[in-house]
Structure formats: C-alpha cells, structure tokens
Amino acid sequence: MAPTARPTPAASRSVDAHRDAVRALVAPLPAEDVPLDELAAGEPGRVLAGDVRAAATVPPFDAAAMDGYAVRLADLPPDGGEVTLPVVGDRRAGDSPGRRGRNADGAVRIMTGAPVPAWADAVVPVERTSTGRFVAGGPATEREVTLARQPRDHVRRAGEDVRPGDPLAVAGDVVTPALVSVAASAGLPALPVRRRPRVAVLSTGSELVAAGGVAHAGRIPDSNSLLVAAAVRAAGAEAVRTGAVPDDADALRAALDAAVRAGADLVVTTGGVSAGASDVVRAVLESPGPDDPRLTDVDLAAVDLRPGRPQALARWRGVPWVALPGNPVSAFVSFTLFVRPAIDALAGRDTTSRTVRGRALAGFSSPPGRLHAVPVRTAAGADGLVVERATSRTGGHLTSALLGADALALVPADVTKVEPGDALDVLPLDGVR
Ligand code: AMP
Ligand code: MG
C-alpha cells in the first residue's frame, strides 16, 4: 500500500467490474462468540462466522406431548376395549424423571412436557379418558381412570428433533429468530458471528445544512447522509454519521481521520466526486501530496451506470473508502449496487445472487449506453413478480423518485425500450418490506 501518485483519468468501467473492485477492498471482519440473549435482543442481521452444530439432544428426555395419563401399552386391551387403572402418580412439566411413578402399576397423571416414566410407553389424552378434563391448578383427586389404547402414543421421543452434532446452520447464514431458539434448545450458549460492520457516513458539500436546520438561500438540507445511514442500518451494519463536510480538502481529510478514529471498517462519502471546480473528494483523491501516506489505493472510475457515473475508491489510513456521487438517487443507486455488497463481504454474508426476475407491467424507454437503474415497485402476479416504475420522472436529483420503490430494476445498456411483459432483473431494497 504505497502512497498513490496522481492517478490518470479513469476509463469507463462496467457496473460488475466496479462492484468487484469495491468488494476487493474489504475483507470479512473478525469473528466473536455472542451469547444468545444478546443476539435475541441486539440488532438483527448478524452473520455466522462458522458452521453451527447441536451440542445437546432435543427433546432431552421422552416427554408427554399431551395432558393425560402415562400408561404401559401392555396394560391396555389390544382390541380397543377399555380398562380401569389406578392413578398412581402426578407429573408436571419441570418434574425430574426421578422416583415418583417409577415401576408403578397403573396410570400416571401427566402434563405436556413432563418426563414420561421409564416404564410407560404411551400417553392417553385426558379428553379420551373418564376424567374428561383436568382442572387448571387443581390437585390430583381421581383415584382411578378408565381409558383405551389410542392410535398415537403422544410421546415426544428424546432426540427425535435434534441430536448432538446435527448441523443447524452454516457460515454465512444470517442469524434468524429460529436459529437463536433452536441453538438454545440444542444446548449452545452463544453463536460465532462476525463483528457487525461499522460504516462511517460523510456528506460533502458547502451547500449542506443539517436536516431540520435553517436553510438560508443557496443551501439545502443534507439528506444523503440520512439516506445512506439508514440504508447501512437496513443492511445490518452500524452507521456512524457525522455532520456534512464543506468543500474544503483539509476539512475532508480531517473528517476522514475522525472516521478512522471512530473505528470505521468502511467510510462512505457522497458528493464531490465528479469534475466540478469544487469537487472536494476528487481534489483529495487526485492530490494526496507526496508525503501524505494516509491515502492509498486510489481508483477513480467512470462507471457505465445511470444514474451514478462518477465513482471512486481508495483507502484512508488503510480503511476502505467508497466515494459515491452526490445526487441523492445516484447516491442511493450506487450504495445499493456497490456498498451493499461490500457490507456483505465485511459481514461474511454471501449475496452473489440477490437479483430476481420480474416482468414489466408497462413499457418505458431507457436511454442507451449505460446500465439504467430504475426505482420500481414490485408485486406478486399470477406468473411471478410484476415490476412497475415507482415514478415516470427520471433524474438523479429527483429525490421523490425513490418514494414507493422497493427494488431497482436493472435495464441493460443496450435496451432502449422495455415493452410490457419484458423480463427484467430486479434488485430488492433492504428495509422496505
Ligand atoms: P456533487 O456530486 O457534490 O456535485 O452533488 C451533486 C448534487 O447533489 C448537487 O446538486 C448537490 O447539492 C446534491 N447533493 C450533494 N450532496 C448532497 C446531500 N448530502 N444531500 C442532498 N443533496 C446533495
Ligand atoms: Mg458537491
């Protein structure tokens, strides 16, 4: 990672090539064992760093599957006839499989989840017996019970669910509520997950004021840092947002230093990456200064993407830095196509095939030459996913174009007209549904 000399202007690059370049900048974060209760109460979207296998047997003992009476089948007439047995014990969920009811001659009153006595081989549900129903909270008063053999034994057998060593999930899987619960049942105290990525989000632009603040003439609210921070969170990572940075190279360098000090695994900036006179990101990337070792791996790209052509990558003090264009729709499209896969790579999550196929509801034209990312709404149709443009207005500056979109349709560069019913690749957005 030698300091980079002034880079040559970038040649045009495909969306796939740029996504791969961004991914190559990051490596999976270290693994940590996180207790199940923290996983259940913490932020969702943690990713397994290793395979998970059961430690214990589930169920751990033969347990009653119904409230009723535990019996020995040999004591019941095989022909469906009834028998009256003395009630010789009472077992509740939580009772140990110990002495009570052991080797007894008769029927043991038993509640769902209680251990079935070793001598018993079936539970007859109470509603199929002369008792009819149990009184909640009431003691055992019945001395005897009349019952018959049932088609099912109503016993949950030890190990019929999970056995020690059974695979429960593999590295790269997202931790789900079901996994946390099954891991608990299977005797695991914690799961190995990758550290949650921490993403610093910086807006650049001297025109920006904090959202909600007073925007004097010529100034606008900083919406991009909110957009990107929320998208970072929806992608399962932690967002660290700082105030907007003015178009001043030293201010940007100081903000990048602060992001690194804050422990960022990835820095995402918006704005200042195109060819304007005040484009501060480009200024910093193009003139690192011969003795500034903070900046390495500079990669300025013109990507065949609409909206979102100017893009850049680098490392700042070794930390990956992805620079997105400033127009809000461009920023969001580039976040979805380039930053989201990088967050996945940091988190150890495999998302190689996130796109799905859908069919255009209505036709629309698409400018040629670059892959066109179109905010769309999707719905389940009779023949698969139906795709409808979220707005007919186009322009990287039209923030409202994103409202109502739950996916981006990716129209190839050589397609100029999408006809109704045409197949489209669609990239679902996080956190929308
Ligand atoms: P830039 O890429 O910096 O030239 O910005 C392109 C356009 O996006 C300009 O009109 C900016 O005012 C606008 N823009 C840049 N950053 C933001 C932001 N953080 N929030 C809202 N609009 C922005
Ligand atoms: Mg700007």
Side-chain angles (χ1 to χ4, degrees):
M1 283 200 302
T4 314
R6 187 185 176 85
T8 49
S12 171
R13 171 188 292 176
S14 74
V15 166
D16 286 356
H18 191 65
R19 188 198 51 228
D20 291 348
V22 177
R23 275 190 90 128
L25 211 57
V26 303
L29 294 172
E32 58 190 13
D33 278 338
V34 175
L36 298 182
D37 55 350
E38 279 180 37
L39 289 172
E43 301 291 340
R46 299 300 295 265
V47 182
L48 289 178
D51 298 351
V52 176
R53 290 181 177 277
T57 304
V58 187
F61 48 83
D62 289 354
M66 300 284 281
D67 303 317
Y69 294 89
V71 294
R72 196 167 14 225
L73 285 174
D75 293 343
L76 312 186
D79 55 4
E82 295 192 331
V83 65
T84 299
L85 297 173
V87 174
V88 295
D90 187 13
R91 283 198 175 187
R92 311 288 172 106
D95 284 353
S96 81
R99 295 196 148 276
R100 279 172 73 187
R102 189 187 282 178
N103 297 324
D105 237 350
V108 166
R109 204 179 199 255
I110 194 164
M111 303 306 138
T112 303
V116 173
W119 53 262
D121 34 30
V123 171
V124 177
V126 64
E127 59 270 26
R128 302 281 169 79
T129 71
S130 55
T131 303
R133 59 185 287 268
F134 295 128
V135 177
T141 49
E142 70 276 17
R143 293 273 173 84
E144 53 184 33
V145 62
T146 302
L147 39 69
R149 194 179 275 257
Q150 300 296 315
R152 297 182 54 194
D153 66 7
H154 298 295
V155 176
R156 301 172 184 158
R157 297 290 168 194
E160 74 176 9
D161 188 355
V162 174
R163 291 181 176 277
D166 277 358
L168 303 181
V170 296
D173 283 354
V174 172
V175 174
T176 58
L179 177 61
V180 176
S181 138
V182 175
S185 302
L188 300 172
L191 292 175
V193 292
R194 301 243 168 239
R195 190 159 65 63
R196 200 159 171 259
R198 177 177 291 187
V199 181
V201 180
L202 303 180
S203 285
T204 69
S206 295
E207 72 279 30
L208 303 175
V209 294
V214 183
H216 304 291
R219 311 196 78 190
I220 58 170
D222 166 18
S223 60
N224 281 351
S225 68
L226 299 171
L227 177 80
V228 174
V232 162
R233 255 184 70 87
E238 179 191 352
V240 182
R241 242 181 93 241
T242 54
V245 183
D247 291 317
D248 173 86
D250 284 335
L252 177 56
R253 292 188 186 102
L256 291 165
D257 278 343
V260 172
R261 276 199 305 277
D265 302 304
L266 175 66
V267 179
V268 178
T269 58
T270 65
V273 77
S274 44
S278 58
D279 277 327
V280 65
V281 168
R282 181 167 292 264
V284 166
L285 290 175
E286 288 188 339
S287 49
D291 54 353
D292 192 344
R294 291 175 291 185
L295 182 68
T296 57
D297 301 281
V298 174
D299 181 3
L300 284 152
V303 178
D304 297 329
L305 171 65
R306 186 190 313 270
R309 185 167 167 80
Q311 304 279 343
L313 312 176
R315 287 181 196 275
W316 188 263
R317 294 187 185 274
V319 176
W321 169 18
V322 181
L324 308 180
N327 272 319
V329 181
S330 313
F332 187 65
V333 163
S334 359
F335 175 90
T336 306
L337 290 174
F338 307 131
V339 180
R340 165 69 207 257
I343 290 174
D344 292 339
L346 284 167
R349 183 168 49 193
D350 174 28
T351 52
T352 40
S353 55
R354 290 188 66 235
T355 49
V356 293
R357 295 284 272 178
R359 295 208 171 271
L361 184 68
F364 59 93
S365 58
S366 181
R370 294 186 247 157
L371 183 130
H372 186 193
V374 183
V376 293
R377 235 189 314 271
T378 61
D383 302 321
L385 210 60
V386 177
V387 180
E388 188 183 6
R389 269 196 305 171
T391 170
S392 59
R393 303 163 72 212
T394 53
H397 65 294
L398 295 174
T399 52
S400 62
L402 294 172
L403 295 175
D406 61 18
L408 295 177
L410 305 176
V411 182
D414 58 351
V415 172
T416 54
K417 184 90 183 78
V418 174
E419 304 289 353
D422 277 359
L424 289 169
D425 275 339
V426 166
L427 189 56
L429 300 175
D430 294 309
V432 179
R433 282 193 172 161

